[in-house]
Amino acid sequence: QLQASGGGLVQTGDSLRLSCVASGRTSSRFAVGWFRQAPGKKREFVSAINWRFESTYFADSVEGRFTISRDNAKNMVYLQMNSLKPEDTAVYFCAAVYPSTFYSQNYYTAGIYDFWGSGTLVTVSS
Protein backbone atom coordinates (compact mmCIF):
# COMPACT_ATOMS: atom_id res chain seq x y z
CA GLN A 1 0.00 0.00 0.00
CA LEU A 2 1.01 3.58 -0.61
CA GLN A 3 -0.06 6.67 1.26
CA ALA A 4 0.70 10.20 0.15
CA SER A 5 0.59 13.14 2.52
CA GLY A 6 1.83 16.67 2.96
CA GLY A 7 -0.49 18.61 0.72
CA GLY A 8 -2.05 21.88 1.71
CA LEU A 9 -2.91 25.43 0.77
CA VAL A 10 0.07 27.66 0.02
CA GLN A 11 0.80 30.87 -1.82
CA THR A 12 2.71 31.34 -5.04
CA GLY A 13 6.41 30.94 -4.43
CA ASP A 14 6.01 28.82 -1.32
CA SER A 15 7.32 25.31 -0.80
CA LEU A 16 5.80 22.02 0.25
CA ARG A 17 7.19 18.57 0.81
CA LEU A 18 5.02 15.63 -0.04
CA SER A 19 5.67 12.25 1.48
CA CYS A 20 4.79 8.80 0.26
CA VAL A 21 5.04 5.88 2.64
CA ALA A 22 5.04 2.34 1.32
CA SER A 23 4.07 -0.81 3.14
CA GLY A 24 3.70 -4.45 2.31
CA ARG A 25 4.84 -5.53 -1.13
CA THR A 26 5.29 -1.97 -2.27
CA SER A 27 8.02 -1.40 0.28
CA SER A 28 10.64 -3.46 -1.49
CA ARG A 29 12.70 -2.30 -4.42
CA PHE A 30 10.01 -0.58 -6.41
CA ALA A 31 10.49 2.50 -8.51
CA VAL A 32 8.17 5.27 -7.39
CA GLY A 33 6.54 7.99 -9.39
CA TRP A 34 4.57 11.08 -8.53
CA PHE A 35 1.64 12.10 -10.69
CA ARG A 36 -0.87 14.88 -10.37
CA GLN A 37 -4.34 15.54 -11.60
CA ALA A 38 -5.93 18.95 -11.76
CA PRO A 39 -9.70 19.38 -12.01
CA GLY A 40 -10.89 18.55 -15.50
CA LYS A 41 -7.48 17.43 -16.66
CA LYS A 42 -5.75 14.15 -17.24
CA ARG A 43 -3.39 12.68 -14.71
CA GLU A 44 0.12 13.78 -15.59
CA PHE A 45 3.60 12.69 -14.70
CA VAL A 46 5.55 14.84 -12.26
CA SER A 47 8.61 12.92 -11.15
CA ALA A 48 10.02 9.45 -10.57
CA ILE A 49 12.90 7.78 -8.81
CA ASN A 50 14.26 4.30 -9.14
CA TRP A 51 15.27 2.17 -6.20
CA ARG A 52 18.79 1.09 -6.84
CA PHE A 53 20.66 3.83 -8.61
CA GLU A 54 18.86 6.85 -7.26
CA SER A 55 18.16 8.10 -10.79
CA THR A 56 15.55 10.80 -10.90
CA TYR A 57 13.23 12.06 -13.59
CA PHE A 58 11.10 15.17 -13.88
CA ALA A 59 8.46 16.64 -16.09
CA ASP A 60 9.61 19.75 -17.92
CA SER A 61 7.04 21.80 -16.05
CA VAL A 62 8.66 21.09 -12.67
CA GLU A 63 12.31 20.65 -13.64
CA GLY A 64 14.48 22.87 -11.48
CA ARG A 65 11.73 23.50 -8.93
CA PHE A 66 10.93 20.02 -7.64
CA THR A 67 13.26 17.38 -6.29
CA ILE A 68 12.56 13.77 -5.45
CA SER A 69 14.33 11.60 -2.93
CA ARG A 70 13.81 8.41 -1.03
CA ASP A 71 14.78 6.79 2.23
CA ASN A 72 14.59 3.06 1.66
CA ALA A 73 15.21 2.32 5.32
CA LYS A 74 11.98 4.12 6.13
CA ASN A 75 10.14 3.10 2.96
CA MET A 76 9.59 6.75 2.20
CA VAL A 77 9.71 8.81 -0.97
CA TYR A 78 9.63 12.58 -0.83
CA LEU A 79 8.70 15.24 -3.35
CA GLN A 80 10.11 18.61 -2.44
CA MET A 81 8.24 21.31 -4.29
CA ASN A 82 9.71 24.79 -4.38
CA SER A 83 8.64 27.99 -6.12
CA LEU A 84 5.12 26.71 -6.38
CA LYS A 85 2.83 28.19 -9.00
CA PRO A 86 -0.96 28.22 -9.28
CA GLU A 87 -0.68 25.74 -12.16
CA ASP A 88 0.81 23.24 -9.72
CA THR A 89 -2.58 23.01 -8.04
CA ALA A 90 -3.73 19.40 -8.25
CA VAL A 91 -4.22 16.19 -6.36
CA TYR A 92 -0.83 14.49 -6.15
CA PHE A 93 -0.51 10.73 -6.19
CA CYS A 94 2.42 8.45 -5.61
CA ALA A 95 2.64 5.15 -7.43
CA ALA A 96 4.98 2.17 -7.47
CA VAL A 97 6.12 -0.05 -10.28
CA TYR A 98 8.34 -3.10 -10.56
CA PRO A 99 11.90 -2.20 -11.56
CA SER A 100 11.82 -4.29 -14.73
CA THR A 101 8.74 -2.47 -15.95
CA PHE A 102 10.16 0.90 -14.97
CA TYR A 103 13.21 0.38 -17.13
CA SER A 104 11.48 -1.27 -20.07
CA GLN A 105 8.46 0.99 -20.33
CA ASN A 106 7.95 4.73 -20.31
CA TYR A 107 8.28 5.78 -16.67
CA TYR A 108 6.15 8.85 -17.32
CA THR A 109 3.13 6.77 -18.30
CA ALA A 110 0.65 6.30 -15.47
CA GLY A 111 -0.58 3.02 -16.90
CA ILE A 112 2.65 1.13 -16.19
CA TYR A 113 2.43 1.66 -12.43
CA ASP A 114 1.12 -1.27 -10.47
CA PHE A 115 0.23 0.31 -7.16
CA TRP A 116 -1.33 3.64 -6.36
CA GLY A 117 -1.84 5.52 -3.16
CA SER A 118 -4.57 7.93 -2.27
CA GLY A 119 -3.84 11.46 -3.30
CA THR A 120 -3.02 14.58 -1.39
CA LEU A 121 -4.36 17.94 -2.47
CA VAL A 122 -2.00 20.80 -3.20
CA THR A 123 -3.56 24.20 -3.73
CA VAL A 124 -1.42 27.16 -4.73
CA SER A 125 -3.10 30.52 -4.52
CA SER A 126 -2.02 33.47 -6.63
Side-chain angles (χ1 to χ4, degrees):
Q1 291 184 343
L2 298 168
Q3 178 67 49
S5 62
L9 172 63
V10 297
Q11 295 184 334
T12 298
D14 285 351
S15 298
L16 274 177
R17 189 177 80 158
L18 304 184
S19 300
C20 176
V21 59
S23 60
R25 288 193 298 163
T26 52
S27 64
S28 59
R29 302 193 179 189
F30 283 83
V32 174
W34 284 96
F35 291 78
R36 65 187 182 187
Q37 188 165 17
K41 295 188 176 181
K42 291 183 178 180
R43 189 168 297 189
E44 65 174 4
F45 170 77
V46 176
S47 182
I49 185 168
N50 71 337
W51 178 83
R52 184 176 180 180
F53 299 112
E54 298 286 354
S55 296
T56 59
Y57 309 86
F58 298 93
D60 290 343
S61 59
V62 306
E63 181 82 53
R65 299 188 297 122
F66 290 12
T67 58
I68 188 171
S69 61
R70 67 189 300 164
D71 184 338
N72 288 335
K74 297 181 179 179
N75 295 327
M76 296 289 294
V77 176
Y78 305 100
L79 184 69
Q80 177 66 44
M81 306 186 297
N82 299 325
S83 303
L84 283 163
K85 305 175 181 180
E87 50 264 44
D88 294 318
T89 294
V91 177
Y92 284 71
F93 300 88
C94 59
V97 62
Y98 291 97
S100 58
T101 304
F102 184 79
Y103 289 113
S104 64
Q105 304 292 324
N106 295 325
Y107 58 83
Y108 48 83
T109 303
I112 74 164
Y113 287 79
D114 301 289
F115 306 98
W116 288 84
S118 57
T120 185
L121 176 62
V122 173
T123 304
V124 184
S125 63
S126 58

